[in-house]
């Protein structure tokens, strides 16, 4: 089924040095930009992560330190990448939990001011898991009756993800061919930050989603219950995006 788009939709996939949003880095990014008229534009870039690529990661995506030694760092392509996805909604496979948070971290590290919160996110894995409970390779086989060419390469995975979403729309009439509806269906939590350390409650208020203050209003913790918790998070091993969002809430509530 042809996607019903208002804005361009960018399917993307990352190959990385590992699975930590905070500590790991991108080594390859592939994007497939779908315009409302159905026109497609694709781009794949290798990136020098600035840190060694562990053997465990290489076993997954096949990319070695030697492969990326002459590639640009993320900072060198960040501005052009931000321009490419400007005004676009984003889609991927497990993207809400990993690819989008990690991409946001890389932009913040590069000093690029890009507000991803204005975008709609479609996670094809979430749709698949809610409907069938499988992996990308199984999803591709199930929905498209084909095997992925170049599985675990960013380019192969991103193309397969696009085809799976189209097939999901064909298979499930209850899925509305609308980016807002698909984005809402793809989401498990209404996150404040990409890592989900803070979420919105049913009243639209920010609450902590981890640790000793889990379930408590962020504003109450920062202003009354435990004001020093802010400093602990800022100095702790948390994502830059989490720290940025927490700082915005603290400034809103306390003026500093």
């Amino acid at each position: 089924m042809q996607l019903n788009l208002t804005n361009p939709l960018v399917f993307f996939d990352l190959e990385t040095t590992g699975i930590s949003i905070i500590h790991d880095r991108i080594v390859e990014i592939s994007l497939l930009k779908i315009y409302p008229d159905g026109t497609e534009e694709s781009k794949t870039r290798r990136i020098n992560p600035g840190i060694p690529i562990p053997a465990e990661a290489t076993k997954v995506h096949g990319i070695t330190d030697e492969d990326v030694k002459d590639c640009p760092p993320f900072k060198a392509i960040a501005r052009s990448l931000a321009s490419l996805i400007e005004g676009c909604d984003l889609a991927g496979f497990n993207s809400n939990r990993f690819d989008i948070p990690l991409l946001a971290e890389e932009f913040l590290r590069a000093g690029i001011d890009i507000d991803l919160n204005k975008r709609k996110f479609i996670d094809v894995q979430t749709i698949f898991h809610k409907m069938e409970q499988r992996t990308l390779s199984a999803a591709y086989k199930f929905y498209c009756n084909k095997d992925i060419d170049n599985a675990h390469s960013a380019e192969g995975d991103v193309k397969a993800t696009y085809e799976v979403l189209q097939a999901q729309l064909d298979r499930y009439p209850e899925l509305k061919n609308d980016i807002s509806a698909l984005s809402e269906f793809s989401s498990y939590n209404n996150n404040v930050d990409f890592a989900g350390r803070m979420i919105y409650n049913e009243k639209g208020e920010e609450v902590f989603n981890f640790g000793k203050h889990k379930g408590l209003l962020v504003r109450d913790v920062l202003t009354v219950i435990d004001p020093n918790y802010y400093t602990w998070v800022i100095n702790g091993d948390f994502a830059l995006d989490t720290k940025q969002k927490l700082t915005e809430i603290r400034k809103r509530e306390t003026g500093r």
Side-chain angles (χ1 to χ4, degrees), residues 202-221:
E202 64 280 358
K203 296 181 180 179
E205 302 165 312
E206 300 101 340
V207 299
F208 281 111
N209 195 35
F210 76 101
K212 64 181 181 179
H213 296 310
K214 184 174 181 178
L216 297 182
L217 292 174
V218 175
R219 66 168 181 265
D220 289 349
V221 173

Side-chain angles (χ1 to χ4, degrees), residues 6 25 49 115 152 178 195 205:
T6 301
R25 301 292 187 269
D115 188 358
H152 295 301
D178 174 82
E205 302 165 312

Side-chain angles (χ1 to χ4, degrees), residues 220-248:
D220 289 349
V221 173
L222 296 184
T223 60
V224 179
I225 299 171
D226 188 0
N228 290 329
Y229 200 62
Y230 170 80
T231 302
W232 179 76
V233 172
I234 294 301
N235 293 330
D237 197 20
F238 293 93
L240 295 176
D241 175 66
T242 300
K243 295 177 181 181
Q244 184 180 68
K245 297 296 192 305
L246 186 64
T247 298
E248 290 172 359

Side-chain angles (χ1 to χ4, degrees), residues 180-198:
S180 294
L182 291 170
S183 177
E184 183 177 354
F185 190 80
S186 297
S187 177
Y188 278 109
N189 289 315
N190 194 7
N191 292 352
V192 175
D193 60 317
F194 290 122
R197 296 290 190 169
M198 296 173 287

Side-chain angles (χ1 to χ4, degrees), residues 1-4 162 165-167 169-172 175 177:
M1 181 183 291
Q2 180 69 33
L3 296 179
N4 181 20
Y162 172 42
L165 179 57
Q166 290 177 304
L169 288 168
D170 287 329
R171 186 178 184 88
Y172 305 116
L175 282 179
N177 189 356

